[in-house]
Structures are given as structure tokens and as C-alpha cells.
Amino acid sequence: MARQLIDTLSIDWKPDQWHDTFQEKVAQLLKAKQAGDSVEKAKPPPKSTNVVDLMEALQASVDRARSPKAQGKKSATGTRRPAQRRTTAASARGGKSAGKRTSTTAALRDLTKAELYQRAADADVPGRSSMNRDELIHALTPGTGHGARAS
């Protein structure tokens, strides 16, 4: 089968059918210079109109991968946990802080543990290194206080 493939792809090579056009053009330019003719520069090649900015495409890809919940897609890596509905005393009563706390908690649940830990470090939450994901969410939720652990 390998021989058949090689035979199919091979051709008879006849060197006299092939020309080095670059050398021919250089020889023509040299003859024109020797004869005293003026040699003009070639026109620059036309600019491509469909150039893709690779860095922009990569950045867009990274942004899409980082926020799958915002676009209604599942996480590509599957490392994020599904959102869990949590009822607090304030939300059960329908208090004003419940809406803000619930929306903040939902936004925090979309983050990975590493992202939650970084936010806890930025907020200087004490004991963050020993907290699990739910405890980090609880500590970062407004109104629950820094360092308050979920029980």
C-alpha cells in the first residue's frame, strides 16, 4: 500500500520544464542596468484586507472561557460547582438586604475557589487559607462579616 501511495503521488521530473523565475528577473534587471535603462521599483504588494489580530482573538477566547455563566454556557473545564439556592433569614422575611445579598451570593457562586480566594485576599479576610469554597462565599457576602464561617 505504501508503494502504491508513493507511485500515486510521484511524477516524472523533467528539469527543463522548471524555470527559476527569480534568477531570470534578476538577470533582466542587470542587463537593463548595463544598457543604461532606468529601472523602476516594483509596486508593493496589495495589503491584505482580512487580517485577523491574533492577540485580539486570543483575548476574546480567554474572556469567553472565563465567564461561561454570563453567556449561558457550561464551564469548559467543569471545575465550577453548580449554583445552590440558599435561604437566609433575611430573604425568608423579604428584607431589603436579602435581594442584594442573594444577587451577590449568586455572582460569587459563579467564581472558582481560586478566584474566591483571591477576592478574600484582596478583602483581607482572616482565616481564608483554611476556608472551603462555601465559607469563602459566606465571608465575601456583604452583611455576613469578614471571617464569619458557614456552619
Side-chain angles (χ1 to χ4, degrees):
M1 188 165 25
R3 288 181 189 204
Q4 186 180 9
L5 177 64
I6 291 170
D7 290 340
T8 303
L9 296 175
S10 64
I11 61 170
D12 290 333
W13 187 62
K14 298 177 184 170
D16 56 332
Q17 289 181 344
W18 303 98
H19 301 283
D20 186 355
T21 57
F22 179 76
Q23 276 190 346
E24 290 172 359
K25 288 182 181 183
V26 170
Q28 288 174 355
L29 285 173
L30 289 173
K31 286 181 184 176
K33 281 262 192 185
Q34 288 173 348
D37 294 339
S38 65
V39 179
E40 295 184 27
K41 292 183 180 180
K43 294 179 187 175
K47 292 187 178 184
S48 177
T49 58
N50 60 348
V51 176
V52 176
D53 183 4
L54 189 55
M55 287 303 293
E56 185 177 316
L58 285 170
Q59 186 62 46
S61 175
V62 168
D63 291 343
R64 281 192 307 272
R66 284 189 180 165
S67 63
K69 299 285 183 178
Q71 298 177 3
K73 297 179 182 176
K74 290 184 178 180
S75 173
T77 60
T79 57
R80 295 182 181 190
R81 295 183 180 180
Q84 298 173 352
R85 185 164 174 87
R86 199 178 230 177
T87 307
T88 61
S91 64
R93 290 190 310 266
K96 289 184 179 180
S97 63
K100 182 177 181 183
R101 189 176 306 143
T102 304
S103 64
T104 303
T105 303
L108 290 172
R109 288 203 176 278
D110 288 341
L111 301 176
T112 64
K113 184 177 179 186
E115 292 168 330
L116 289 167
Y117 182 83
Q118 185 58 49
R119 286 195 181 189
D122 293 342
D124 200 28
V125 174
R128 64 187 171 271
S129 61
S130 62
M131 291 182 180
N132 64 28
R133 188 171 181 279
D134 289 331
E135 292 169 336
L136 286 167
I137 291 169
H138 184 72
L140 291 169
T141 302
T144 60
H146 292 307
R149 291 191 173 209
S151 45

